[in-house]
Amino acid sequence: MISQMLKPLLRQVKKYEVTPMQTATMPEPPHEPEETLTLTDLLRSAPHVTTKQTCEQTLKVMFSYPEAESIVVCDKLHRPVGLVMCGRFFFRVNGRAGMDGFYMQRVVKLMTQKPLIVDVRASVSDVQQQAEQRAEYFRNDSIIVTEQERVLGIITATDLRHGYRS
């Protein structure tokens, strides 16, 4: 009796019989090129002083920006002419002959006179090469990045070596 009742149901099931699913191959997504690192990815802001400012004034700027590794020295048209690495500058100004000898001197006396200055469009690998070719004493100095000869910011040597902002 149950089999009699199930026959109509079995006919309906056969009518809607499911075939094994066919596997559809999806086209692979287009291969996106790896993102290339640019100087703007590594760029940091940096305080600026002018060539007319004294070491005392520069020291005040340094204390106003305690997180800054360096201070860019600019001319009156905001073009970079030198670099002050904060740690080196602090020790020199506060050393034995420091306070009396340097406070009233212009910052150009203690700045790095030929820092590495690069255009923002330069490739990271080119800048890394240039940075490694610097004299050993200057290898950890910041790199000044410009656009149309005006300061955009700096890149730290550590960020450049590791390829990311630390």
Side-chain angles (χ1 to χ4, degrees), residues 35-151:
E35 285 188 37
T36 55
L37 191 66
T38 65
L39 294 182
T40 54
D41 296 327
L42 302 173
L43 199 62
R44 293 175 184 253
S45 61
H48 307 86
V49 294
T50 66
T51 55
K52 303 269 187 228
Q53 288 182 278
T54 65
C55 289
E56 181 181 18
Q57 292 167 327
T58 304
L59 202 55
K60 287 178 183 176
V61 170
M62 188 178 87
F63 288 135
S64 297
Y65 297 90
E67 74 287 347
E69 285 189 23
S70 55
I71 298 171
V72 180
V73 181
C74 298
D75 64 11
K76 61 184 173 186
L77 297 175
H78 204 59
R79 293 180 300 209
V81 294
L83 182 73
V84 173
M85 291 302 295
C86 291
R88 199 180 307 146
F89 178 73
F90 180 77
F91 286 118
R92 190 129 181 235
V93 168
N94 290 306
R96 260 199 263 169
M99 288 197 187
D100 295 332
F102 292 120
Y103 263 39
M104 297 317 291
Q105 297 287 328
R106 288 192 8 220
V107 71
V108 293
K109 295 254 185 193
L110 294 182
M111 72 180 189
T112 301
Q113 305 231 348
K114 293 185 180 179
L116 179 54
I117 301 171
V118 297
D119 188 85
V120 70
R121 295 175 304 235
S123 73
V124 172
S125 59
D126 286 347
V127 175
Q128 285 171 328
Q129 268 186 329
Q130 290 177 43
E132 288 302 314
Q133 291 172 355
R134 295 185 287 185
E136 187 72 32
Y137 184 76
F138 299 108
R139 287 230 177 111
N140 288 321
D141 283 9
S142 300
I143 295 109
I144 300 171
V145 181
T146 62
E147 184 172 46
Q148 297 177 354
E149 297 184 5
R150 303 292 189 279
V151 175

Side-chain angles (χ1 to χ4, degrees), residues 3-59:
S3 64
Q4 292 288 328
M5 291 170 51
L6 289 176
K7 279 187 181 179
L9 287 173
L10 285 172
R11 273 189 231 125
Q12 280 185 334
V13 168
K14 284 187 179 181
K15 191 176 178 182
Y16 298 107
E17 202 171 297
V18 178
T19 59
M21 181 188 262
Q22 294 179 352
T23 56
T25 55
M26 298 294 284
E28 287 200 27
H31 211 23
E32 300 214 7
E34 289 184 25
E35 285 188 37
T36 55
L37 191 66
T38 65
L39 294 182
T40 54
D41 296 327
L42 302 173
L43 199 62
R44 293 175 184 253
S45 61
H48 307 86
V49 294
T50 66
T51 55
K52 303 269 187 228
Q53 288 182 278
T54 65
C55 289
E56 181 181 18
Q57 292 167 327
T58 304
L59 202 55

